[in-house]
Amino acid sequence: MKEEIFISGRNIPHIDPHLAIWEFPISLYLFLGGLSAGILLFSAFTHLLNKDEELKGASKWAPLIVPFALAIGLFALIIDLGNPFYSWKLYTTIRLESPMSWGAWVLLIVTPLSILWIFSDLRKLFPKLNYTKLPFLFKVEDFCVKYKKQMALALIPLTIILGIYTGILLSAFNARPLWNNAILGPLFLVSGLSTAAATIILFAKSAHERHLFSKIDVLLIVIELGLIIHLIMGYYAGNEMQVEAVKILVGGDLTTLFFGFFVALGLLLPLVLEVFELMGFKVPVVVPAILIIVSGLIFRVLMVEAGQITRILY
Amino acid sequence: MRYVMVIDTLKCVGCSDCVVACQTENDVPTGYCRDWVTESVTGTYPEVDIELRSERCNHCDNAPCVRTCPTEASHIIEGGIVLVDRDLCIGCGACIESCPYDARYRHPDLGIVDKCTFCVHRVKKGQDPACVSVCPTNCMYFGDLDDSNSKVAQLLAERKHKVLAKEAGTSPNVYYLI
């Protein structure tokens, strides 16, 4: 038996008895970052494959929410800082060893790019828009239309980095055994793509587009389930601290949230519903799509919280 | 030059004088502390072993807090002391998450991250850190490990010792004599 206590009466807020430095805003930021990355990636691909008109939901409508999602995500990130008014100091240096640093830089590039990306089609989507009072916007629009292909080519690597970054931000901390799992980056990327596909289903303008993204989503959920098995196996194959850490998800306090709400209600149920819909059964597509989106957020809240409860034992 | 702290767990009585001295010396916010005393009990009665440890930032050679800091606020100065530059810190908490020793906290008034500095302001004047200087049992030692004549180098050469969470790969510089 081993028991350790602080006899000097240490009880620091947000540190003891376990860390709670990163709370809901960080989870929301990771969720919105992954969602935005996924939508932009799908949108860029539809443009490069010349399917803009065929897949209007993916190419034009869904990206409209991205600048707002990124703005809310960044706002959440900034209010979670101890020194929000000094957040610009993130941009005084680039530190490749620090995921927080290169993630901030990628966001700095992707956020304006997402605005330019939707700007090229904005007047087609909203014909009443008129820039006559701000004529320079016509030039911006011309620029966006002219360089749309180049933007799409840039968005593909940038959004993949952004999607993976949301996971690597956590997995880079070896002091938190539950986070310190290399599969977390790919898992967050796939989860982000899956929530993006679900969002595009909500924006789809034709049955063809809805079915295509349902198929993509089915594939992504299957990959995600595979990665989750990989994740859990990784803990059990790990050292004592990781075996101890995974108990929180398997049999511990967060088991219901993880297996019940995330895996069962958020992945398996929508998977079955989407397969049924593709087989021709009448399923309201909103249901699986909303389940996937909500479970994506639950997953991030869960991982951010659970990781901070686990620690290196000594 | 390599500053280390050596703490004799066999002499420590767990009085927490080091904690109070640090709080006073460094104007630590009320309710917070940069060092603390841990009582570690192993075994079952009657075969029980108790170890008392005064713990703090380990001023690691391979400091994960320095690695994960996005603004270079966490840095290592000559002698291996890990410090936080208050003008650069944005309080993102990445260093707090990365520390296996939970030795950092967010300052409640300033928003920046705060922790043990090995009392660098005293060390520069040739004095010992506040915690070391007040210890009533003289169980704490501070000095340069690269100087083979220093007390810390001699103690580590003679006595059995350990560091905390060696497996985290941080190369800590606070040693415990056991």
Side-chain angles (χ1 to χ4, degrees):
Chain A
M1 192 206 85
K2 183 171 182 177
E3 190 179 72
E4 293 200 329
I5 51 165
F6 299 138
I7 57 167
S8 56
R10 182 181 135 149
N11 188 21
I12 303 176
H14 307 295
I15 306 286
D16 300 316
H18 60 76
L19 282 197
I21 285 289
W22 286 353
E23 292 178 330
F24 182 73
I26 295 287
S27 318
L28 182 69
Y29 157 71
L30 297 181
F31 168 72
L32 293 172
L35 175 72
S36 303
I39 292 175
L40 287 177
L41 185 66
F42 283 126
S43 183
F45 266 120
T46 39
H47 181 71
L48 290 176
L49 297 171
N50 283 324
K51 306 261 185 197
D52 284 344
E53 295 307 316
E54 189 185 329
L55 306 170
K56 275 188 181 158
S59 68
K60 296 185 170 72
W61 287 99
L64 288 179
I65 65 165
V66 171
F68 297 100
L70 286 175
I72 296 168
L74 275 171
F75 181 72
L77 173 73
I78 288 170
I79 58 164
D80 203 59
L81 294 176
N83 247 343
F85 297 111
Y86 290 88
S87 49
W88 54 270
K89 283 179 183 165
L90 281 168
Y91 300 111
T92 55
T93 179
I94 299 181
R95 299 208 59 257
L96 292 179
E97 276 187 315
S98 163
M100 179 84 84
S101 174
W102 54 258
W105 277 100
V106 169
L107 267 175
L108 186 73
I109 303 168
V110 170
T111 309
L113 210 52
S114 73
I115 297 171
L116 293 178
W117 182 254
I118 62 169
F119 207 77
S120 58
D121 287 319
L122 211 53
R123 276 200 304 152
K124 282 184 206 157
L125 299 178
F126 303 101
K128 285 184 183 167
L129 267 184
N130 200 334
Y131 303 150
T132 40
K133 282 184 184 164
L134 298 162
F136 76 96
L137 287 179
F138 286 113
K139 284 186 185 167
V140 178
E141 187 181 42
D142 288 344
F143 174 86
C144 296
V145 173
K146 190 177 170 192
Y147 291 104
K148 191 152 188 186
K149 192 177 171 198
Q150 283 82 349
M151 279 198 277
L153 287 170
L155 275 175
I156 288 174
L158 284 170
T159 51
I160 292 174
I161 293 172
L162 180 60
I164 287 195
Y165 147 74
T166 59
I168 291 183
L169 180 68
L170 303 184
S171 71
F173 297 119
N174 97 342
R176 314 291 150 205
L178 196 77
W179 286 349
N180 193 214
N181 190 316
I183 218 76
L184 224 51
L187 178 57
F188 272 57
L189 174 67
V190 175
S191 168
L193 290 176
S194 168
T195 52
T199 310
I200 291 170
I201 292 172
L202 295 178
F203 279 95
K205 294 292 165 195
S206 66
H208 163 65
E209 185 176 16
R210 208 165 50 233
H211 282 151
L212 176 67
F213 278 92
S214 288
K215 281 181 198 162
I216 292 174
D217 213 8
V218 165
L219 178 68
L220 287 168
I221 292 174
V222 170
I223 296 173
E224 200 175 337
L225 286 167
L227 289 176
I228 288 167
I229 294 170
H230 219 87
L231 178 85
I232 303 285
M233 280 171 64
Y235 295 125
Y236 282 113
N239 54 33
E240 186 193 351
M241 287 172 274
Q242 288 180 309
V243 174
E244 193 62 37
V246 75
K247 282 183 185 165
I248 198 166
L249 298 182
V250 185
D253 288 349
L254 297 172
T255 309
T256 318
L257 206 55
F258 184 71
F259 284 104
F261 283 84
F262 174 55
V263 177
L265 283 178
L267 296 176
L268 293 174
L269 181 63
L271 177 68
V272 172
L273 289 176
E274 284 191 342
V275 170
F276 275 178
E277 208 238 334
L278 291 172
M279 285 164 68
F281 290 96
K282 217 169 158 37
V283 176
V285 283
V286 180
V287 176
I290 299 275
L291 282 175
I292 290 164
I293 295 168
V294 173
S295 75
L297 180 60
I298 289 177
F299 175 54
R300 280 152 185 87
V301 171
L302 177 88
M303 285 311 284
V304 168
E305 164 131 12
Q308 294 182 96
I309 295 173
T310 65
R311 56 165 300 174
I312 285 195
L313 312 166
Y314 57 87
Chain B
M1 180 110 74
R2 186 178 159 203
Y3 288 122
V4 301
M5 196 174 274
V6 176
I7 297 166
D8 192 340
T9 61
L10 302 180
K11 273 161 77 179
C12 178
V13 292
C15 69
S16 303
D17 241 12
C18 48
V19 180
V20 179
C22 170
Q23 287 166 328
T24 314
E25 173 73 27
N26 295 299
D27 205 11
V28 176
T30 313
Y32 287 68
C33 56
R34 292 181 181 184
D35 58 350
W36 59 94
V37 180
T38 301
E39 181 183 270
S40 176
V41 181
T42 42
T44 43
Y45 182 82
E47 300 291 319
V48 186
D49 186 37
I50 297 179
E51 181 179 279
L52 291 162
R53 293 191 303 259
S54 172
E55 296 182 16
R56 62 199 32 66
C57 167
N58 281 263
H59 297 274
C60 310
D61 287 343
N62 180 24
C65 50
V66 173
R67 217 167 45 236
T68 52
C69 176
T71 63
E72 293 176 339
S74 284
H75 62 286
I76 302 182
I77 62 165
E78 201 201 340
I81 300 178
V82 178
L83 295 177
V84 180
D85 185 332
R86 292 188 167 197
D87 290 333
L88 286 176
C89 180
I90 58 172
C92 70
C95 57
I96 301 178
E97 300 288 358
S98 73
C99 177
Y101 310 101
D102 284 350
R104 292 169 163 246
Y105 58 83
R106 233 184 228 158
H107 195 292
D109 305 322
L110 306 175
I112 50 105
V113 172
D114 201 20
K115 68 170 198 75
C116 161
T117 60
F118 264 172
C119 281
V120 66
H121 57 287
R122 289 173 60 92
V123 172
K124 278 181 182 164
K125 286 188 265 180
Q127 297 170 324
D128 274 339
C131 52
V132 175
S133 66
V134 299
C135 180
T137 62
N138 277 333
C139 79
M140 302 167 78
Y141 307 87
F142 182 81
D144 178 10
L145 191 60
D146 286 345
D147 173 7
S148 54
N149 293 320
S150 67
K151 182 77 179 166
V152 286
Q154 287 170 359
L155 280 168
L156 292 182
E158 291 163 9
R159 297 268 305 270
K160 199 174 168 189
H161 58 268
K162 68 170 184 182
V163 291
L164 299 181
K166 187 169 182 280
E167 58 281 11
T170 53
S171 303
N173 282 312
V174 176
Y175 293 84
Y176 293 92
L177 302 176
I178 48 175

